[in-house]
Amino acid sequence: MSKTSAFPAKLACFAAIQGFVSVAAGAFGAHALTKMVSERALSWWHTGSQYLMYHALASLIVAALFSYIPAVRKIIVCFLVGNVFFAGSLYVMTFTGVLWLGAITPIGGVLYLLAWFLLAKNLWQGQFKVN
């Protein structure tokens, strides 16, 4: 495997890890957190887990399209870093109650939007590599 093809594989691995974390966090939220935090905080946890999974899966799909989409690395990095900011800030807010972290959450949302935009742009323009 060349260095160029290994990079998306490593990013896909991080996406798979984020998918794992999403499932574990969802189960933890459904079973353990219900008695530990408020309903409001539980909703933050739930939202973080949902978006973490959505964008972990999207990253894996984009990684599978590596041979066809030139901007694949940018797209996957935007999804993965978006997950850190979006879900990560919601998870930390759940446990700490530090509400100013909610100002960080939209950074993740903007990264999600950028990734989806780049994906749509590449698909619309038919900018595909030929093997």
Side-chain angles (χ1 to χ4, degrees), residues 38-98:
S38 70
E39 284 293 319
R40 181 177 181 200
L42 197 57
S43 74
W44 296 333
W45 188 270
H46 177 73
T47 300
S49 294
Q50 274 187 308
Y51 277 73
L52 182 59
M53 179 57 79
Y54 297 154
H55 294 91
L57 290 173
S59 296
L60 290 171
I61 292 167
V62 171
L65 297 173
F66 170 67
S67 297
Y68 305 103
I69 299 176
V72 71
R73 289 184 183 104
K74 291 177 190 173
I75 295 165
I76 295 172
V77 167
C78 285
F79 279 141
L80 297 179
V81 175
N83 276 340
V84 171
F85 280 98
F86 190 90
S89 64
L90 292 175
Y91 287 159
V92 173
M93 257 177 40
T94 298
F95 281 114
T96 65
V98 178

